């Protein structure tokens, strides 16, 4: 199983910047053995025609219904039509999303044969109060589907976009909690991953990948992280 590197562009990037990024990635991809998933805004999806084998396109959200009167929403089948194969679900920036909704979306994604990346993570207050494991366990029980293939992303809310990362020990403990709730083996980490801290993060045992926000917007910064992963895992 290849190491998974997911780029979450959030509401950033134009269609031309996406084409430029994918072009650069395609040029390098024959030297990359990791699995790369780029999640641009929906507007860039039609531009993802030419992709190397190890590069996939992911969405940052979906609706759990196939169609209907849901203004502003997009279904898994619509995303599939645009060659999307992964969907990030339950990201903490998508406020007001309940655990139940995240589970429904995950199940709809699996039903359409796409791969959900389901986020879990505690907020700063719970982290300070030592409630991390309890929160993660609760989220796993209520967000994760009962069948199908999926990846779980541990994304402590206090680490996203802040430059702070949990200790490797904390991430390892959380991975254990997640694995005790599900037989799925793939757990990735997200939250201020950068070219400066990736070498240390790769010492985390049982880590199957990383989810990268701001450091994925610039190709050179992103590619530095990819190169470090390749040096650590694939050579
Ligand atoms: C994210 O958006 O999931 C994320 C981890 O962002 P950042 O890397 O900027 O903290």
């Amino acid at each position: 199983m290849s190491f998974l590197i997911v780029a979450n562009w959030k509401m950033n990037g134009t269609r031309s910047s996406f084409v430029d990024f994918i072009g650069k990635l395609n040029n390098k991809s024959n030297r990359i053995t990791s699995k790369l998933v780029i999640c641009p805004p929906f507007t860039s999806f039609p531009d993802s025609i030419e992709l190397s084998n190890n590069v996939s396109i992911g969405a940052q959200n979906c609706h759990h219904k196939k169609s209907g009167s849901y203004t502003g929403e997009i279904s898994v089948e619509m995303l599939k039509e645009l060659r999307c194969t992964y969907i990030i679900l339950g990201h903490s920036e998508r406020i007001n999303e309940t655990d139940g909704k995240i589970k429904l979306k995950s199940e709809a994604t699996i039903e359409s044969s796409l791969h959900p990346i389901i986020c879990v993570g505690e907020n700063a207050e719970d982290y300070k109060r030592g409630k991390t494991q309890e929160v993660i366990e609760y989220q796993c029980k209520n967000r994760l589907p009962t069948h199908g293939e999926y990846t779980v992303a541990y994304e402590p809310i206090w680490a996203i976009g802040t430059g702070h990362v949990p200790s490797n020990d904390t991430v390892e403990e959380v991975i254990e909690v997640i694995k005790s709730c599900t037989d799925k083996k793939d757990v990735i980490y997200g939250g201020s991953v950068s070219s400066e801290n990736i070498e240390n993060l790769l010492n985390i045992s049982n880590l199957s990948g990383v989810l990268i926000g701001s450091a994925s917007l610039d190709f050179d910064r992103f590619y530095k992280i990819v190169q470090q992963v390749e040096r650590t895992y694939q050579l």
Side-chain angles (χ1 to χ4, degrees):
M1 187 74 185
S2 319
F3 196 81
L4 183 65
I5 303 177
V6 185
N8 177 16
W9 278 21
K10 313 189 185 192
M11 198 174 68
N12 294 295
T14 57
R15 291 176 65 180
S16 62
S17 68
F18 175 69
V19 170
D20 184 56
F21 191 96
I22 292 293
K24 286 176 178 163
L25 210 49
N26 279 344
N27 282 338
K28 308 267 191 196
S29 61
N30 60 351
R31 274 167 275 153
I32 302 172
T33 58
S34 302
K35 174 76 188 164
L36 308 177
V37 182
I38 314 301
C39 306
F42 293 136
T43 47
S44 287
F45 276 55
D47 300 310
S48 64
I49 306 299
E50 296 298 333
L51 290 173
S52 301
N53 277 344
N54 60 337
V55 182
S56 298
I57 297 304
Q60 303 167 19
N61 183 38
C62 68
H63 196 276
H64 65 281
K65 295 274 182 139
K66 288 192 192 312
S67 61
S69 304
Y70 304 102
T71 304
E73 298 288 347
I74 190 156
S75 75
V76 183
E77 288 299 319
M78 291 167 182
L79 292 166
K80 197 172 172 179
E81 213 176 8
L82 294 173
R83 302 175 76 235
C84 168
T85 47
Y86 286 74
I87 308 184
I88 299 172
L89 294 169
H91 194 286
S92 57
E93 285 163 6
R94 296 201 51 79
I95 45 175
N96 296 333
E97 250 186 7
T98 61
D99 294 324
K101 266 285 164 59
I102 296 166
K103 186 171 180 173
L104 282 176
K105 290 179 180 196
S106 304
E107 288 167 349
T109 302
I110 290 168
E111 200 186 313
S112 293
S113 307
L114 271 67
H115 189 98
I117 298 169
I118 306 161
C119 300
V120 296
E122 79 285 11
N123 62 27
E125 200 186 323
D126 286 330
Y127 175 69
K128 281 188 206 127
R129 289 165 61 214
K131 300 251 181 213
T132 298
Q133 299 198 15
E134 198 181 306
V135 170
I136 300 301
E137 198 174 347
Y138 181 87
Q139 290 176 344
C140 285
K141 284 193 174 134
N142 292 285
R143 290 182 183 189
L144 303 185
T146 48
H147 67 281
E149 293 305 312
Y150 56 86
T151 296
V152 181
Y154 172 45
E155 292 228 310
I157 298 170
W158 55 269
I160 295 175
T162 60
H164 300 299
V165 291
S167 70
N168 287 4
D169 284 350
T170 301
V171 180
E172 279 174 7
E173 280 161 21
V174 170
I175 290 175
E176 282 313 303
V177 172
I178 295 169
K179 282 175 184 279
S180 72
C181 299
T182 168
D183 59 354
K184 307 297 165 223
K185 55 186 181 327
D186 293 329
V187 182
I188 65 176
Y189 168 78
S192 294
V193 175
S194 68
S195 52
E196 287 80 40
N197 61 26
I198 185 68
E199 194 173 351
N200 180 49
L201 288 168
L202 293 175
N203 291 321
I204 296 168
S205 54
N206 287 327
L207 188 71
S208 297
V210 284
L211 199 162
I212 310 164
S214 54
S216 71
L217 293 173
D218 174 79
F219 182 79
D220 293 335
R221 282 181 78 195
F222 178 70
Y223 191 60
K224 267 190 190 169
I225 298 174
V226 174
Q227 282 178 306
Q228 185 58 53
V229 172
E230 295 293 306
R231 276 196 289 273
T232 307
Y233 279 94
Q234 267 78 31
L235 299 179

